[in-house]
Amino acid sequence: MKTLPALLVLPALLLVPPAATGLTREEVMTTARGYAYHPWRATAANLDGGCPAGYTSYYTVGDHLGLPYDWGGYLTLHQFDAAIAAGKAAGSAPYTDVLACNVGLDCSGFVAQTWRQPQIGTYGIPDVSTEVRREDVQAGDAFNQVGYHVILYSHRQANGLPFLYEAMGYSVHPTFTQGWAYVSGYSPRRLHGIEGNDPAEPTGTADRPLEVDTFPFVTSGTTRGAPSDLLDYCGAAPATRELGPEVVYRLVLPTPGRLVVTVQDDAGVDIDVHLYSAFAEGSCLARHDTTLDLQVGCGTYLVVADTWTSADGTEFAGRYDLTIDFTPDPDQPCVPVTEFSFSGRPGAPCAFPGDYDLPFCNESLGATTCLYTGGEPDDVSFCSLTCTADRDCQAVIPGGCCGDIGEEDDYCFTPEFCAGEGEGEGAEGEGEGAEGEGEGAEGEGEGAEGEGEGAEGEGEGAEGEGEGAEGEGEGAEGEGEGAEGEGEGAEGEGEGAEGEGEGAEGEGEGAEGEGTEGEGEGTEGEGEGNADWICEPGNYTSCSCPGEQRGRQFCAADGQSWKACQCAAAEGEGEAAEGEGEGEDDTDRDRDGGCTLAAAGAPPAGLLPWALALLLLGRRARRRVAEPYA
Amino acid sequence: MRRSWCLLPWLLVAGLAGCSPEPGAAAGWSSAAPEVVAAALESPRHARFPDQVLLPWGDAAGEVGLWPGAPERPPAGPDCLTWAHDGGVWLNDPHNGRVVHLGPDGSWQGSLATPPAVEGLLGLPDGGLLLLGLANRRLIRLSAKGEVLEERGLHPAFRTIAGLAWGADGELRLVTGYQETYSLGHPGSPRRWPELLRTRQEGVAGVSGGRPVQVVLTDSTGTLLWYERTSTLPGKRPEPTAVPLAGTAGAASLRVLDADHAGRSLLLEERHAGEQVARRLRVFDGEGRDAGSLVLPEVGLYLPRTEFAAGPEGVLLQLRPLPDGLVLARYTWPEVQP
């Protein structure tokens, strides 16, 4: 759909469509934001798309926001998503010719889409718009310079600078730092028939969805005139045409459960309900004409009431009644819905010497390091982060575990490296009095978290061997009596590695049970937050102890400093370890042992090659070259 | 074909794998003497960086690239700059896939190959450079030799990223479109999402170490908002000190370019003039009184994304793309004089 050269020679009159009527400023701006912030994923195929030699996409493999810039490009979001899925190249190579192998939008293609015009070019803009005074521009107006560039105006910022949207350079994006000089010499234009003045920020859009905060949620609405008209097809039912405007609702589910969504509409109206995990057609999980009834995981969802469109193009927009109900099922584990995932999350594959086409780990999403098993293409890699216990990992990598690969810190592993292979009796949480069952609460009873024989650390004298390791005695986390780890011994003391000894997390008297964490003085979270926190009160991190042991270091209540490192009391031989006893496993994981890679120094034989081969990518590499900062 | 991946080995096994630069993308160091044109402004304190430096258009050493305009496509070229640790300047040269280093005397020091789609720069104290890529939402830290030391993703929640700056606390700060910043931490020890959110600071501090400041236009009259320590916690947001700015009635926009410890500020003022826009640098003292102004020439071939870079001791550099090449013009303040 690229006809730029033709556009440049055709008389503009032939290209002029009828004047738009009934389009509101909210609709224009909603469409603009939809293009500027549209999530999409680039694969290796999208970097060349079979384009001629010399073409180079400026995008990298991974997830992105905003459609690419493409000279001569003009398409809908649906067309873009389909083209990317088909392996078309993303965007123009900077300032190359118009190509057929790539996709995106150019400046006039973008404005034409927001104005719901055919591909008219900057030459056609004057024919569908009227010039206005520069000082009078409103949201949805455009600054046009024939044969040169066109930019959509959004609003004036607090300091007077214009906030604009444009397709220019690399992508469709907001432009807000360059002032009015950026549009100096441009003609301010207003679309014929555009309705409204100084629009408020519309809701019910991808940008500002209507929040569902109670269940059952009962509401009424209308898609007629709804500002959002970006979703046209559902990935779960791709043949169904939902070409009309839509209204977007968002719900956040803390637990799995049963979700029931019903919609009723009047005669002559056909509103369908859709469930999305992100505002992209490929993220549409389910669709129905009247009722969605399905089990869902925890996470954030979008419920979209969209307008069905017949084959002849008739849109059946109008009023509807919507009910959303949710019955939680807290017994089920929280497996987050697969959201549109910006690449580089913990657990996701990452670029390594065997495959540089994989994305980088994304520190903004918590992944600091790429671990990989070797340098060959068949090897595996995943993004990871440092950890001190399995639970640190399970929050970000379902089923993951925390393990040692011989570096200073322990790292999170994906489930494939955690399963099975445990040897000992009483794997983590297997002993008596598993978490929540014992007499003492976490940290209150004897041997709270970790009392038993055998736990993390293999053999006697392994990590935290003495009595009262992790938080021994009063005054561990939260300072209270029996805060985490009051008991004798703690993390690490026992015989046998985690999963190997007679008991692991939660064994013994008083694993997490009565008495709650923070029962003592100085509870977690008591500190007052501050914008200048260097750490979050109550959080802890791993720290070095004498004898190459590891301890914990808690954040001070004011968040301004880390407390002194708490180390094992002695390199003695206490009887406890993280979880002692013979209780029942309190987790849903079905494994015989703990993290098989977690045992310090001696992973189970079955995974030894993996363990030895696992390499730390990124941090180690950086250490070689990082230079001190002044 | 994929120049972007060319740099990945540097990141992933830094120092172990190299990358052959593309033709025209200078990875090695080279030198050439740029043309130093006659000084237009006298600087009593900064005799080092020339008042104007011209880099002709081209792809050789001593030149920077320009994509000339085409139908439906404006011209484009170097679009951002930053001060280097040595008193010189780093300059983005996207046409040639590189960043250019000019020494304190304006001389060409060389260039480093960069990944594509770099849209922001920040010089680092160790001689390295931080690259901001908005299309790929990446921060990339280069050593002075061009090795990729660190790469970080920008969280998608940050939609309006204006650029990078140093905070008075010595931390990297991400400047957003609302005249506020977020601390990225120190290079090599970044703050992570969502911790980053807690570091929001109202206002943008000047590189000369001034307090965070914002400017607002109310009824077309400007007011500076000076902030002390700020907090985003409920009920803890301090009230800024408001200083009305004299002579700003009728302004179309005001933008803070720099501020100092004495409460003086350097702003860029715009006023509508028919289809054109008149711009001038304005200096205000700590009481908001007019302390000088300088009318800026018209915008050249295009308006760079980061047109100005404020440096220490009241030096301001401007990128001006002109038909003959790219001019780096130097101004000083608080004594701005035509």
Side-chain angles (χ1 to χ4, degrees):
Chain A
M1 181 83 72
K2 295 175 191 171
T3 56
L4 180 67
L7 271 178
L8 299 181
V9 297
L10 284 173
L13 187 60
L14 297 179
L15 302 169
V16 175
T21 57
L23 190 64
T24 67
R25 296 185 185 278
E26 287 90 345
E27 290 170 323
V28 172
M29 296 316 303
T30 298
T31 303
R33 285 190 289 268
Y35 278 92
Y37 306 129
H38 181 64
W40 60 279
R41 177 169 301 161
T43 65
N46 301 125
L47 301 190
D48 57 44
C51 290
Y55 171 87
T56 303
S57 174
Y58 40 78
Y59 280 95
T60 55
V61 170
D63 297 347
H64 304 280
L65 284 181
L67 265 62
Y69 175 85
D70 175 26
W71 194 28
Y74 171 86
L75 37 60
T76 65
L77 287 187
H78 168 71
Q79 290 169 327
F80 172 77
D81 285 341
I84 288 294
K88 290 272 192 177
S92 290
Y95 289 76
T96 54
D97 292 336
V98 173
L99 301 171
C101 59
N102 58 345
V103 291
L105 283 170
D106 71 3
C107 61
S108 55
F110 166 63
V111 171
Q113 286 287 347
T114 65
W115 281 7
R116 298 188 189 168
Q117 296 290 322
Q119 189 173 18
I120 51 179
T122 58
Y123 294 90
I125 294 287
D127 299 310
V128 298
S129 62
T130 304
E131 186 164 35
V132 296
R133 291 202 322 150
R134 186 170 297 265
E135 296 84 346
D136 294 337
V137 291
Q138 295 185 32
D141 294 340
F143 286 98
N144 187 55
Q145 196 166 138
V146 170
Y148 188 74
H149 192 37
V150 62
I151 305 166
L152 198 69
Y153 174 82
S154 174
H155 62 277
R156 196 180 308 256
Q157 299 171 75
N159 57 5
L161 266 63
F163 195 103
L164 311 163
Y165 287 93
E166 63 176 336
M168 168 73 182
Y170 304 110
S171 63
V172 179
H173 60 269
T175 294
F176 49 88
T177 62
Q178 286 153 287
W180 294 98
Y182 193 64
V183 290
S184 180
Y186 284 64
S187 169
R189 313 291 309 187
R190 179 161 299 162
L191 177 67
H192 292 159
I194 193 168
E195 297 177 352
N197 289 297
D198 288 330
E201 292 291 321
T203 56
T205 67
D207 205 44
R208 294 164 57 90
L210 297 165
E211 300 291 345
V212 177
D213 49 9
T214 59
F215 296 107
F217 178 83
V218 181
T219 189
S220 296
T222 179
T223 62
R224 188 178 303 282
S228 180
D229 189 2
L230 292 165
L231 296 173
D232 291 340
Y233 297 88
C234 170
T240 308
R241 298 158 56 90
E242 309 283 352
L243 306 185
E246 64 266 346
V247 179
V248 185
Y249 301 83
R250 177 169 59 193
L251 54 157
V252 179
L253 304 180
T255 66
R258 180 185 178 194
L259 182 69
V260 180
V261 182
T262 60
V263 65
Q264 294 177 297
D265 46 42
D266 206 346
V269 176
D270 194 341
I271 309 302
D272 302 325
V273 287
H274 304 73
L275 186 68
Y276 285 80
S277 57
F279 196 78
E281 290 174 8
S283 300
C284 182
L285 307 174
R287 173 208 170 272
H288 201 274
D289 184 48
T290 58
T291 303
L292 289 174
D293 184 349
L294 67 172
Q295 292 291 324
V296 294
C298 55
T300 300
Y301 293 88
L302 301 175
V303 170
V304 176
D306 207 346
T307 304
W308 184 75
T309 307
S310 64
D312 64 4
T314 303
E315 294 181 355
F316 291 79
R319 188 185 178 285
Y320 61 88
D321 295 330
L322 181 73
T323 302
I324 303 174
D325 201 2
F326 176 68
T327 306
D329 187 355
D331 294 334
Q332 295 297 316
C334 175
V335 178
V337 61
T338 304
E339 300 174 14
F340 195 91
S341 168
F342 287 87
S343 59
R345 289 177 181 276
C350 43
F352 72 113
D355 188 352
Y356 286 131
D357 279 349
L358 293 169
F360 292 112
C361 296
N362 192 331
E363 296 204 27
S364 291
L365 302 177
T368 59
T369 299
C370 184
L371 298 179
Y372 65 103
T373 58
E376 300 302 320
D378 290 340
D379 288 318
V380 299
S381 66
F382 56 88
C383 293
S384 185
L385 62 159
T386 57
C387 55
T388 56
D390 285 358
R391 59 177 174 270
D392 297 341
C393 304
Q394 287 156 2
V396 291
I397 304 176
C401 62
C402 185
D404 181 3
I405 62 167
E407 280 284 320
E408 290 176 0
D409 299 317
D410 292 344
Y411 286 87
C412 288
F413 289 82
T414 52
E416 67 182 296
F417 294 102
C418 303
E421 303 289 343
E423 291 178 19
E425 304 170 20
E428 183 171 338
E430 197 173 348
E432 288 180 19
E435 198 167 332
E437 252 182 79
E439 293 176 13
E442 180 178 357
E444 186 178 8
E446 281 185 27
E449 188 173 354
E451 190 186 21
E453 299 173 16
E456 268 184 82
E458 184 186 27
E460 294 183 12
E463 186 177 355
E465 186 176 346
E467 287 189 15
E470 182 181 355
E472 176 200 12
E474 301 175 11
E477 181 177 352
E479 275 189 343
E481 278 185 36
E484 184 173 354
E486 183 185 359
E488 301 170 20
E491 188 168 354
E493 176 197 65
E495 301 170 12
E498 183 177 53
E500 193 172 344
E502 290 181 16
E505 186 170 358
E507 179 202 25
E509 299 174 24
E512 290 181 31
E514 293 176 21
T516 58
E517 183 175 9
E519 180 178 322
E521 302 165 16
T523 58
E524 181 175 353
E526 186 177 315
E528 190 173 27
N530 187 288
D532 297 320
W533 276 347
I534 67 167
C535 55
E536 185 162 359
N539 276 3
Y540 60 83
T541 187
S542 177
C543 53
S544 298
C545 294
E548 298 185 352
Q549 299 294 320
R550 304 294 296 169
R552 281 188 179 180
Q553 191 172 20
F554 286 85
C555 181
D558 60 4
Q560 299 296 311
S561 63
W562 291 98
K563 290 183 176 179
C565 187
Q566 297 176 351
C567 300
E571 294 196 357
E573 300 169 317
E575 298 179 1
E578 183 170 351
E580 171 185 315
E582 302 165 8
E584 296 178 357
D585 193 343
D586 65 312
T587 72
D588 294 308
R589 283 183 293 162
D590 180 15
R591 60 186 202 191
D592 296 324
C595 286
T596 53
L597 288 172
L607 288 184
L608 186 60
W610 285 103
L612 293 179
L614 271 167
L615 301 172
L616 181 65
L617 193 59
R619 281 176 61 115
R620 178 183 284 172
R622 283 181 218 130
R623 286 185 187 131
R624 292 196 186 102
V625 295
E627 299 170 17
Y629 279 82
Chain B
M1 175 71 83
R2 299 178 190 171
R3 189 175 60 209
S4 60
W5 295 114
C6 175
L7 284 173
L8 297 183
W10 294 355
L11 167 72
L12 299 170
V13 281
L16 300 181
C19 170
S20 300
E22 288 186 345
W29 295 87
S30 57
S31 66
E35 179 182 356
V36 179
V37 300
L41 293 169
E42 288 299 324
S43 169
R45 291 187 294 155
H46 269 266
R48 299 186 66 189
F49 201 90
D51 295 315
Q52 290 200 22
V53 173
L54 173 66
L55 299 171
W57 301 122
D59 58 8
E63 299 175 338
V64 291
L66 173 73
W67 285 294
E72 306 285 73
R73 192 153 65 173
D79 57 357
C80 57
L81 78 167
T82 183
W83 287 93
H85 68 295
D86 60 358
V89 171
W90 287 105
L91 180 67
N92 186 28
D93 182 11
H95 182 276
N96 296 317
R98 65 189 180 185
V99 285
V100 167
H101 183 202
L102 302 182
D105 60 353
S107 62
W108 180 276
Q109 298 295 306
S111 62
L112 301 174
T114 64
V118 170
E119 296 181 83
L121 301 176
L122 187 68
L124 298 174
D126 65 352
L129 189 63
L130 201 62
L131 311 177
L132 171 66
L134 294 178
N136 289 305
R137 304 188 69 77
R138 288 289 184 207
L139 279 175
I140 298 172
R141 180 162 65 102
L142 297 182
S143 73
K145 295 180 179 178
E147 298 164 313
V148 176
L149 303 182
E150 186 181 0
E151 178 159 347
R152 298 160 60 180
L154 292 167
H155 197 277
F158 285 110
R159 290 182 172 181
T160 58
I161 297 170
L164 301 167
W166 286 105
D169 53 5
E171 289 193 320
L172 293 168
R173 299 201 77 89
L174 185 69
V175 185
T176 73
Y178 306 107
Q179 299 184 76
E180 61 189 12
T181 66
Y182 293 82
S183 172
L184 294 165
H186 294 279
S189 57
R191 292 184 190 275
R192 299 194 174 90
W193 182 270
E195 180 190 9
L196 185 61
L197 285 179
R198 294 201 191 99
T199 68
R200 187 178 73 182
Q201 175 178 274
E202 296 288 336
V204 181
V207 293
S208 57
R211 290 173 290 158
V213 62
Q214 295 176 332
V215 60
V216 295
L217 267 179
T218 306
D219 297 329
S220 295
T221 298
T223 302
L224 276 184
L225 302 176
W226 291 97
Y227 288 86
E228 300 295 339
R229 282 175 64 88
T230 58
S231 170
T232 57
L233 292 180
K236 287 207 161 188
R237 183 171 171 171
E239 287 296 319
T241 301
V243 177
L245 299 175
T248 54
S253 79
L254 290 167
R255 191 171 5 149
V256 179
L257 299 178
D258 203 358
D260 66 15
H261 282 299
R264 293 175 298 201
S265 54
L266 174 68
L267 279 80
L268 175 62
E269 179 191 83
E270 290 186 310
R271 290 176 182 272
H272 293 301
E275 285 196 1
Q276 305 301 317
V277 174
R279 304 194 303 164
R280 60 175 174 162
L281 297 175
R282 296 199 60 181
V283 176
F284 297 91
D285 67 15
E287 305 298 320
R289 292 183 292 248
D290 189 352
S293 66
L294 177 67
V295 174
L296 292 174
E298 290 184 4
V299 172
L301 298 177
Y302 61 90
L303 189 63
R305 186 175 190 279
T306 303
E307 183 185 10
F308 294 98
E313 300 180 45
V315 177
L316 182 75
L317 282 186
Q318 181 194 25
L319 286 182
R320 295 186 59 209
L322 300 176
D324 292 340
L326 183 72
V327 168
L328 281 78
R330 190 196 62 169
Y331 305 92
T332 59
W333 77 285
E335 299 86 17
V336 287
Q337 298 294 330

